[in-house]
Short mmCIF file of all heavy atoms in Angstrom, two decimals:
data_model
loop_
_atom_site.label_atom_id
_atom_site.label_comp_id
_atom_site.label_asym_id
_atom_site.label_seq_id
_atom_site.Cartn_x
_atom_site.Cartn_y
_atom_site.Cartn_z
N HIS A 25 -8.03 19.10 14.96
CA HIS A 25 -8.05 20.29 15.46
C HIS A 25 -7.75 20.34 16.91
O HIS A 25 -8.27 19.45 17.64
CB HIS A 25 -9.43 20.92 15.12
CG HIS A 25 -9.56 22.37 15.48
ND1 HIS A 25 -10.28 22.81 16.62
CD2 HIS A 25 -9.07 23.48 14.87
CE1 HIS A 25 -10.26 24.20 16.61
NE2 HIS A 25 -9.54 24.66 15.49
N GLY A 26 -6.93 21.20 17.36
CA GLY A 26 -6.48 21.20 18.81
C GLY A 26 -5.97 19.90 19.19
O GLY A 26 -5.02 19.44 18.59
N ASP A 27 -6.47 19.24 20.32
CA ASP A 27 -5.99 18.04 20.75
C ASP A 27 -6.65 16.74 20.20
O ASP A 27 -6.36 15.65 20.63
CB ASP A 27 -6.20 17.99 22.36
CG ASP A 27 -5.32 18.93 23.05
OD1 ASP A 27 -4.16 19.34 22.45
OD2 ASP A 27 -5.61 19.31 24.18
N TYR A 28 -7.44 16.97 19.15
CA TYR A 28 -8.25 15.86 18.65
C TYR A 28 -7.94 15.49 17.20
O TYR A 28 -7.69 16.43 16.40
CB TYR A 28 -9.75 16.25 18.70
CG TYR A 28 -10.33 16.60 20.11
CD1 TYR A 28 -10.41 17.91 20.55
CD2 TYR A 28 -10.67 15.53 20.82
CE1 TYR A 28 -10.78 18.13 21.79
CE2 TYR A 28 -11.09 15.85 22.28
CZ TYR A 28 -11.12 17.09 22.67
OH TYR A 28 -11.54 17.47 23.90
N VAL A 29 -7.99 14.23 16.96
CA VAL A 29 -7.71 13.66 15.50
C VAL A 29 -8.87 12.57 15.38
O VAL A 29 -9.17 11.81 16.26
CB VAL A 29 -6.48 12.94 15.50
CG1 VAL A 29 -6.18 12.38 14.13
CG2 VAL A 29 -5.22 13.96 15.74
N ALA A 30 -9.35 12.77 14.22
CA ALA A 30 -10.37 11.75 13.81
C ALA A 30 -10.03 11.07 12.41
O ALA A 30 -9.54 11.83 11.55
CB ALA A 30 -11.80 12.30 13.64
N ILE A 31 -10.25 9.76 12.24
CA ILE A 31 -10.00 9.09 10.98
C ILE A 31 -11.12 8.22 10.74
O ILE A 31 -11.67 7.49 11.58
CB ILE A 31 -8.63 8.25 11.09
CG1 ILE A 31 -7.48 9.19 11.33
CG2 ILE A 31 -8.48 7.45 9.79
CD1 ILE A 31 -6.23 8.48 11.63
N ALA A 32 -11.66 8.26 9.51
CA ALA A 32 -12.72 7.42 9.15
C ALA A 32 -12.27 6.72 7.83
O ALA A 32 -11.62 7.24 7.02
CB ALA A 32 -14.00 8.25 8.82
N SER A 33 -12.84 5.36 7.77
CA SER A 33 -12.60 4.68 6.44
C SER A 33 -13.73 3.80 6.10
O SER A 33 -14.56 3.44 6.99
CB SER A 33 -11.32 3.71 6.59
OG SER A 33 -11.55 2.79 7.52
N GLU A 34 -13.90 3.56 4.91
CA GLU A 34 -15.07 2.82 4.37
C GLU A 34 -14.58 2.08 3.02
O GLU A 34 -14.11 2.69 2.26
CB GLU A 34 -16.18 3.81 4.09
CG GLU A 34 -17.63 3.39 4.33
CD GLU A 34 -18.05 2.13 3.55
OE1 GLU A 34 -17.75 2.08 2.36
OE2 GLU A 34 -18.66 1.26 4.17
N PRO A 35 -14.86 0.83 3.02
CA PRO A 35 -14.43 0.10 1.79
C PRO A 35 -15.13 0.33 0.39
O PRO A 35 -14.62 0.11 -0.73
CB PRO A 35 -14.42 -1.43 2.12
CG PRO A 35 -15.65 -1.41 3.10
CD PRO A 35 -15.53 -0.11 3.91
N LEU A 36 -16.35 0.82 0.52
CA LEU A 36 -17.11 0.90 -0.78
C LEU A 36 -17.55 2.31 -1.10
O LEU A 36 -17.64 2.57 -2.36
CB LEU A 36 -18.43 0.11 -0.68
CG LEU A 36 -18.26 -1.35 -0.42
CD1 LEU A 36 -19.58 -2.22 -0.15
CD2 LEU A 36 -17.50 -2.02 -1.44
N CYS A 37 -17.75 3.30 -0.15
CA CYS A 37 -18.32 4.56 -0.49
C CYS A 37 -17.16 5.67 -0.09
O CYS A 37 -16.36 5.36 0.69
CB CYS A 37 -19.51 4.84 0.32
SG CYS A 37 -20.85 3.69 -0.05
N LEU A 38 -17.23 6.72 -0.59
CA LEU A 38 -16.46 7.93 -0.28
C LEU A 38 -16.93 8.28 1.23
O LEU A 38 -18.06 8.22 1.50
CB LEU A 38 -16.64 9.04 -1.21
CG LEU A 38 -16.19 8.85 -2.59
CD1 LEU A 38 -16.37 10.06 -3.38
CD2 LEU A 38 -14.69 8.51 -2.54
N VAL A 39 -15.92 8.61 1.96
CA VAL A 39 -16.22 9.00 3.40
C VAL A 39 -15.49 10.23 3.90
O VAL A 39 -14.51 10.60 3.16
CB VAL A 39 -15.80 7.81 4.38
CG1 VAL A 39 -14.21 7.62 4.31
CG2 VAL A 39 -16.23 7.97 5.72
N GLY A 40 -16.27 10.90 4.78
CA GLY A 40 -15.61 12.25 5.20
C GLY A 40 -15.86 12.46 6.66
O GLY A 40 -16.71 11.88 7.28
N VAL A 41 -14.98 13.18 7.29
CA VAL A 41 -14.96 13.35 8.70
C VAL A 41 -14.36 14.79 8.93
O VAL A 41 -13.59 15.25 8.22
CB VAL A 41 -14.31 12.36 9.51
CG1 VAL A 41 -12.75 12.35 9.37
CG2 VAL A 41 -14.53 12.53 11.09
N ASP A 42 -15.09 15.47 9.83
CA ASP A 42 -14.61 16.78 10.36
C ASP A 42 -14.66 16.93 11.82
O ASP A 42 -15.64 16.53 12.37
CB ASP A 42 -15.41 17.91 9.59
CG ASP A 42 -14.68 19.26 9.73
OD1 ASP A 42 -13.49 19.38 9.98
OD2 ASP A 42 -15.34 20.32 9.39
N ILE A 43 -13.62 17.43 12.48
CA ILE A 43 -13.75 17.59 13.91
C ILE A 43 -13.21 19.11 14.29
O ILE A 43 -12.37 19.59 13.62
CB ILE A 43 -12.77 16.51 14.54
CG1 ILE A 43 -12.95 16.52 16.01
CG2 ILE A 43 -11.27 16.77 14.15
CD1 ILE A 43 -12.32 15.23 16.65
N VAL A 44 -13.83 19.44 15.30
CA VAL A 44 -13.37 20.89 15.71
C VAL A 44 -13.42 20.73 17.29
O VAL A 44 -14.22 20.19 17.98
CB VAL A 44 -14.58 21.81 15.32
CG1 VAL A 44 -15.17 22.78 16.24
CG2 VAL A 44 -13.92 22.66 14.21
N SER A 45 -12.40 21.47 17.82
CA SER A 45 -12.26 21.56 19.34
C SER A 45 -12.69 22.94 19.75
O SER A 45 -12.37 23.91 19.13
CB SER A 45 -10.73 21.47 19.56
OG SER A 45 -10.54 21.69 20.96
N VAL A 46 -13.64 22.94 20.55
CA VAL A 46 -14.18 24.31 21.05
C VAL A 46 -13.19 25.10 21.64
O VAL A 46 -12.58 24.60 22.65
CB VAL A 46 -15.54 24.16 21.78
CG1 VAL A 46 -16.02 25.45 22.37
CG2 VAL A 46 -16.52 23.30 21.14
N VAL A 47 -12.77 26.36 21.05
CA VAL A 47 -11.87 27.12 21.56
C VAL A 47 -12.49 28.42 22.14
O VAL A 47 -13.25 29.08 21.35
CB VAL A 47 -10.85 27.48 20.48
CG1 VAL A 47 -9.71 28.44 21.11
CG2 VAL A 47 -10.13 26.17 20.05
N ILE A 48 -12.12 28.95 23.19
CA ILE A 48 -12.74 30.18 23.77
C ILE A 48 -11.69 31.22 23.36
O ILE A 48 -10.57 31.16 23.60
CB ILE A 48 -12.81 30.16 25.25
CG1 ILE A 48 -13.83 29.16 25.60
CG2 ILE A 48 -13.23 31.47 25.80
CD1 ILE A 48 -13.99 28.88 27.15
N PRO A 49 -12.31 32.28 22.43
CA PRO A 49 -11.28 33.37 21.93
C PRO A 49 -10.70 34.07 23.09
O PRO A 49 -11.36 34.39 24.22
CB PRO A 49 -12.28 34.21 21.23
CG PRO A 49 -13.50 33.55 21.06
CD PRO A 49 -13.60 32.49 22.06
N GLN A 50 -9.42 34.55 23.05
CA GLN A 50 -8.72 35.14 24.09
C GLN A 50 -8.64 36.68 23.89
O GLN A 50 -8.52 37.45 24.82
CB GLN A 50 -7.36 34.60 24.13
CG GLN A 50 -7.19 33.13 24.42
CD GLN A 50 -7.75 32.77 25.87
OE1 GLN A 50 -7.48 33.39 26.76
NE2 GLN A 50 -8.52 31.75 25.80
N LYS A 51 -8.61 37.19 22.68
CA LYS A 51 -8.36 38.54 22.36
C LYS A 51 -9.62 39.26 21.99
O LYS A 51 -9.56 40.51 21.75
CB LYS A 51 -7.28 38.68 21.32
CG LYS A 51 -5.92 38.20 21.83
CD LYS A 51 -4.86 38.50 20.85
CE LYS A 51 -3.47 37.79 21.34
NZ LYS A 51 -2.48 38.13 20.46
N GLU A 52 -10.69 38.68 21.92
CA GLU A 52 -12.01 39.33 21.63
C GLU A 52 -13.17 38.55 22.24
O GLU A 52 -13.05 37.40 22.73
CB GLU A 52 -12.21 39.39 20.08
CG GLU A 52 -12.16 38.05 19.33
CD GLU A 52 -11.89 38.16 17.96
OE1 GLU A 52 -12.08 39.24 17.36
OE2 GLU A 52 -11.44 37.28 17.21
N THR A 53 -14.34 39.20 22.29
CA THR A 53 -15.47 38.44 22.94
C THR A 53 -16.01 37.43 22.08
O THR A 53 -15.62 37.50 20.70
CB THR A 53 -16.64 39.55 23.17
OG1 THR A 53 -17.11 39.95 21.83
CG2 THR A 53 -16.12 40.71 23.96
N PRO A 54 -16.64 36.51 22.47
CA PRO A 54 -17.28 35.50 21.67
C PRO A 54 -18.08 36.07 20.37
O PRO A 54 -17.92 35.53 19.28
CB PRO A 54 -18.08 34.58 22.59
CG PRO A 54 -17.40 34.71 23.88
CD PRO A 54 -17.02 36.13 23.85
N ILE A 55 -18.83 37.04 20.62
CA ILE A 55 -19.61 37.72 19.58
C ILE A 55 -18.69 38.29 18.55
O ILE A 55 -18.89 38.19 17.32
CB ILE A 55 -20.61 38.64 20.17
CG1 ILE A 55 -21.54 37.90 21.08
CG2 ILE A 55 -21.26 39.52 19.04
CD1 ILE A 55 -22.88 38.46 21.29
N GLU A 56 -17.68 38.99 18.97
CA GLU A 56 -16.71 39.54 18.08
C GLU A 56 -16.08 38.42 17.25
O GLU A 56 -15.78 38.63 16.08
CB GLU A 56 -15.64 40.53 18.80
CG GLU A 56 -16.21 41.67 19.42
CD GLU A 56 -15.12 42.34 20.44
OE1 GLU A 56 -14.22 41.69 20.86
OE2 GLU A 56 -15.31 43.62 20.55
N PHE A 57 -15.72 37.36 17.88
CA PHE A 57 -15.12 36.32 17.18
C PHE A 57 -15.99 35.68 16.15
O PHE A 57 -15.56 35.53 15.07
CB PHE A 57 -14.68 35.14 18.34
CG PHE A 57 -14.15 33.89 17.70
CD1 PHE A 57 -12.92 33.93 17.02
CD2 PHE A 57 -14.88 32.81 17.60
CE1 PHE A 57 -12.33 32.83 16.59
CE2 PHE A 57 -14.37 31.69 17.10
CZ PHE A 57 -13.12 31.58 16.53
N VAL A 58 -17.23 35.35 16.47
CA VAL A 58 -18.04 34.71 15.38
C VAL A 58 -18.52 35.79 14.33
O VAL A 58 -18.67 35.26 13.26
CB VAL A 58 -19.25 34.11 16.15
CG1 VAL A 58 -18.93 32.98 17.18
CG2 VAL A 58 -20.18 35.08 16.69
N LYS A 59 -18.43 36.96 14.58
CA LYS A 59 -18.83 37.84 13.58
C LYS A 59 -17.74 37.91 12.42
O LYS A 59 -18.13 38.29 11.28
CB LYS A 59 -18.99 39.43 14.05
CG LYS A 59 -20.36 39.59 14.80
CD LYS A 59 -20.60 40.92 15.22
CE LYS A 59 -21.98 41.05 15.90
NZ LYS A 59 -22.30 42.39 16.35
N ASN A 60 -16.60 37.52 12.67
CA ASN A 60 -15.62 37.41 11.70
C ASN A 60 -15.99 36.34 10.54
O ASN A 60 -15.49 36.45 9.42
CB ASN A 60 -14.27 36.89 12.20
CG ASN A 60 -13.69 37.99 13.16
OD1 ASN A 60 -13.57 39.13 12.80
ND2 ASN A 60 -13.27 37.59 14.25
N PHE A 61 -16.91 35.49 10.88
CA PHE A 61 -17.34 34.36 9.98
C PHE A 61 -18.75 34.57 9.56
O PHE A 61 -19.37 33.66 8.96
CB PHE A 61 -17.17 33.00 10.58
CG PHE A 61 -15.78 32.89 11.20
CD1 PHE A 61 -15.55 33.14 12.46
CD2 PHE A 61 -14.77 32.32 10.35
CE1 PHE A 61 -14.08 32.95 13.01
CE2 PHE A 61 -13.49 32.02 10.78
CZ PHE A 61 -13.24 32.43 12.25
N SER A 62 -19.34 35.83 9.64
CA SER A 62 -20.77 35.90 9.31
C SER A 62 -21.03 35.57 7.90
O SER A 62 -22.09 34.96 7.58
CB SER A 62 -21.21 37.31 9.67
OG SER A 62 -20.38 38.22 8.80
N SER A 63 -20.16 35.80 6.94
CA SER A 63 -20.41 35.52 5.50
C SER A 63 -20.38 34.10 5.15
O SER A 63 -20.83 33.70 4.12
CB SER A 63 -19.37 36.33 4.65
OG SER A 63 -17.99 35.76 4.85
N CYS A 64 -19.95 33.25 6.07
CA CYS A 64 -19.86 31.82 5.92
C CYS A 64 -21.20 31.11 6.16
O CYS A 64 -21.34 29.93 5.98
CB CYS A 64 -18.68 31.15 6.71
SG CYS A 64 -17.14 31.93 6.39
#
Side-chain angles (χ1 to χ4, degrees):
H25 189 251
D27 293 333
Y28 301 98
V29 175
I31 299 173
S33 68
E34 215 300 315
L36 300 177
C37 301
L38 294 177
V39 66
V41 64
D42 194 15
I43 192 165
V44 130
S45 173
V46 176
V47 176
I48 298 172
Q50 299 298 312
K51 296 183 180 183
E52 54 194 345
T53 67
I55 296 206
E56 291 169 336
F57 174 73
V58 299
K59 282 187 177 179
N60 293 316
F61 302 93
S62 62
S63 64
C64 299

